[in-house]
Amino acid sequence: MQPPRERLVVTGRAGWMGMGRGAGRSALGFWPTFAFLLCSLPAATSPCKILKCNSEFWSATAGSHAPAPDDAPEFCAALRTYALCTRRTARTCRGDLAYHSAVHGIEDLMSQHNCSKDGPTSQPHVRTLPPPGDSQERSDSPEICHYEKSFHKHAAAPNYTHCGLFGDPHLRTFTDRFQTCKVQGAWPLIDNNYLNVQVTNTPVLPGSAATATSKLTIIFKNFQECVDQKVYQAEMDELPAAFADGSKNGGDKHGANSLKITEKVSGQHVEIQAKYIGTTIVVRQVGRYLTFAVRMPEEVVNAVEDRDSQGLYLCLRGCPLNQQIDFQAFRAEGPGARRPPAASPAPAAPDTFPYETAVAKCKEKLPVEDLYYQACVFDLLTTGDVNFTLAAYYALEDVKMLHSNKDKLHLYERTREPPGRAASAGPPSAPQPLFSSLLLLTLLPALLEAA
């Protein structure tokens, strides 16, 4: 069963890579970064060097898309260098969405700035970081940038919801459904008017049916006078304490501090506060893999242009039926059980724990025999990796911190949706685009021929 293909989306040329409310041409300057960040490559050893081209152009231009008249020749030279870099890597990048997005974007920028295709090129240089004491030090924010003050000034406190993903992988939705899923490849967790979250799940071992989250991308959309568009990305063995552009807040706007990232434990625990939408996100690396948890107001959860077009938005709709694993059937198999045959015929991971040992190890961290405890046992039996015990433990700790209803911290019966309510009961199709307001990038034959 093939996982959904990861997809990059763009708008028309006038608003290329624009996203969400308040986005438009101002988002153009960030498009190399998004080509870099939003196209998850199938393997870290891909011969395609487009990411290097993107990074060099970003460094050479410091992310600017609107150079001053005196800087236009240098900007055009940087674009020509960028184009040359893409041509050099064209053969190894055929079919790569990041590559085709870069080619498309270069054409747009050269046309907008009247750059000739022939002319001098430039050498990449290191982008300088903003000096100390810039907007990241601001403490003032307009009221619109504080969710509870602006949205609920004369009303009751908002109702907060929680979603989490951890382990091999286990999903707790905004409606407290608990599912164990396959979902290999790239899948959208959240897709609304304010932010998008996408995860990539990969096999724990080559050929293994067990998967875990190896990559996470979060996009905070440009919002009024509060924040610029920001991207956070984490991967295995790389849990940064800053956004992709090196900043730790929402940018240069007056309310920039309504979005902040804080490193709680170096390389292991990051927390992102988005006060302008009343949202808290916790990202952890436990062992080699990532966990995700979020606290978000219902109003923000449901802030979508067209709810019916959200497709496989896992935190809201849960996993498709054909991606769910029958947890009860697994438990019924008893000692020595492995992942249910329906999930995959792949062999179990070596050095997996005996059932009694898995139970004992999970009991140490999770004394209550709820679904987090059961998920822990399941993961030890399918992966043989004791770190999955901590993944379940920290997932429950995040629930305790983020869930608004303390009576629902522990869940005891997982949810397997009947066909009528599942997100999808047929053959798995690619998820709907993460960015509902944009059009899917079409890989035109002409582009392939040009490559």
Side-chain angles (χ1 to χ4, degrees):
M1 186 175 296
Q2 295 295 320
R5 293 179 59 89
E6 301 187 41
R7 300 195 279 179
L8 181 69
V9 290
V10 299
T11 62
R13 291 178 177 264
W16 202 75
M17 287 306 297
M19 298 165 56
R21 197 187 329 182
R25 296 182 64 92
S26 63
L28 272 165
F30 295 99
W31 74 265
T33 300
F34 284 103
F36 180 96
L37 293 169
L38 302 185
C39 284
S40 303
L41 299 179
T45 57
S46 171
C48 179
K49 303 301 182 185
I50 189 61
L51 303 188
K52 181 175 182 291
C53 299
N54 292 346
S55 179
E56 289 179 351
F57 176 74
W58 176 259
S59 297
T61 61
S64 173
H65 76 277
D70 292 342
D71 296 331
E74 288 187 14
F75 186 78
C76 289
L79 276 174
R80 285 190 288 268
T81 302
Y82 194 8
L84 178 62
C85 185
T86 61
R87 289 196 293 272
R88 287 173 175 169
T89 193
R91 179 170 296 181
T92 58
C93 293
R94 186 176 296 274
D96 186 283
L97 295 185
Y99 167 77
H100 292 289
S101 298
V103 171
H104 184 82
I106 290 169
E107 293 175 355
D108 281 350
L109 290 175
M110 293 191 78
S111 174
Q112 291 166 21
H113 297 286
N114 297 318
C115 297
S116 170
K117 292 184 178 180
D118 300 318
T121 57
S122 62
Q123 294 297 321
H125 59 271
V126 178
R127 177 166 57 98
T128 57
L129 294 176
D134 67 354
S135 62
Q136 297 194 39
E137 301 298 325
R138 291 176 181 166
S139 60
D140 60 323
S141 293
E143 189 174 274
I144 188 66
C145 300
H146 193 293
Y147 179 79
E148 291 188 8
K149 290 181 180 178
S150 61
F151 285 74
H152 298 275
K153 190 172 182 179
H154 303 293
N159 183 32
Y160 288 95
T161 59
H162 163 75
C163 176
L165 186 77
F166 69 97
D168 176 20
H170 309 282
L171 172 72
R172 180 169 179 160
T173 71
F174 284 128
T175 54
D176 291 313
R177 290 177 289 168
F178 194 99
Q179 299 169 343
T180 299
C181 310
K182 290 177 282 184
V183 290
Q184 182 176 335
W187 292 78
L189 280 183
I190 298 174
D191 178 15
N192 61 42
N193 293 343
Y194 303 99
L195 81 163
N196 304 103
V197 181
Q198 176 174 287
V199 293
T200 300
N201 302 312
T202 55
V204 174
L205 292 170
S208 171
T211 61
T213 301
S214 58
K215 185 173 183 178
L216 172 74
T217 301
I218 306 172
I219 302 165
F220 296 91
K221 300 179 183 180
N222 186 346
F223 180 68
Q224 297 184 14
E225 58 187 293
C226 303
V227 299
D228 295 321
Q229 190 165 270
K230 291 286 179 176
V231 173
Y232 179 78
Q233 184 180 49
E235 300 186 56
M236 289 192 302
D237 301 320
E238 186 176 351
L239 190 69
F243 294 109
D245 60 3
S247 67
K248 293 192 175 185
N249 76 345
D252 296 323
K253 294 186 177 181
H254 190 53
N257 277 343
S258 61
L259 175 62
K260 281 187 174 182
I261 182 169
T262 304
E263 185 176 58
K264 298 293 187 178
V265 180
S266 178
Q268 298 180 32
H269 181 188
V270 165
E271 185 174 302
I272 304 175
Q273 291 280 352
K275 291 184 179 179
Y276 66 101
I277 52 174
T279 295
T280 300
I281 294 174
V282 175
V283 182
R284 299 179 186 266
Q285 175 163 321
V286 185
R288 298 182 61 217
Y289 299 101
L290 304 174
T291 70
F292 170 85
V294 62
R295 179 179 188 260
M296 182 180 292
E298 282 187 350
E299 183 177 22
V300 176
V301 169
N302 296 311
V304 295
E305 297 297 334
D306 182 1
R307 189 180 179 93
D308 292 334
S309 72
Q310 291 304 291
L312 305 181
Y313 168 179
L314 299 186
C315 275
L316 186 63
R317 299 198 174 194
C319 298
L321 183 62
N322 58 10
Q323 292 292 314
Q324 296 178 35
I325 294 171
D326 191 337
F327 209 109
Q328 275 81 5
F330 173 83
R331 290 161 56 196
E333 293 179 13
R338 294 292 185 264
R339 182 178 284 249
S344 172
D351 301 323
T352 51
F353 291 94
Y355 183 82
E356 294 80 2
T357 303
V359 166
K361 287 187 175 294
C362 292
K363 271 285 190 179
E364 292 176 6
K365 285 289 187 180
L366 300 157
V368 178
E369 294 189 17
D370 61 0
L371 288 176
Y372 290 88
Y373 161 82
Q374 295 171 22
C376 173
V377 174
F378 177 88
D379 289 353
L380 292 189
L381 294 175
T382 55
T383 69
D385 186 347
V386 72
N387 287 304
F388 281 84
T389 302
L390 290 175
Y393 169 77
Y394 285 123
L396 183 57
E397 290 300 298
D398 290 337
V399 172
K400 294 176 181 177
M401 179 180 72
L402 300 174
H403 205 292
S404 60
N405 188 340
K406 302 309 177 185
D407 294 330
K408 291 187 177 181
L409 300 184
H410 298 281
L411 299 177
Y412 295 93
E413 291 297 327
R414 71 172 291 277
T415 308
R416 182 173 174 83
E417 296 293 350
R421 293 183 58 193
S424 172
S429 59
Q432 294 292 323
L434 279 179
F435 316 115
S436 56
S437 61
L438 308 178
L439 300 176
L440 174 67
L441 172 63
T442 303
L443 299 181
L444 298 175
L447 283 176
L448 292 174
E449 292 173 4

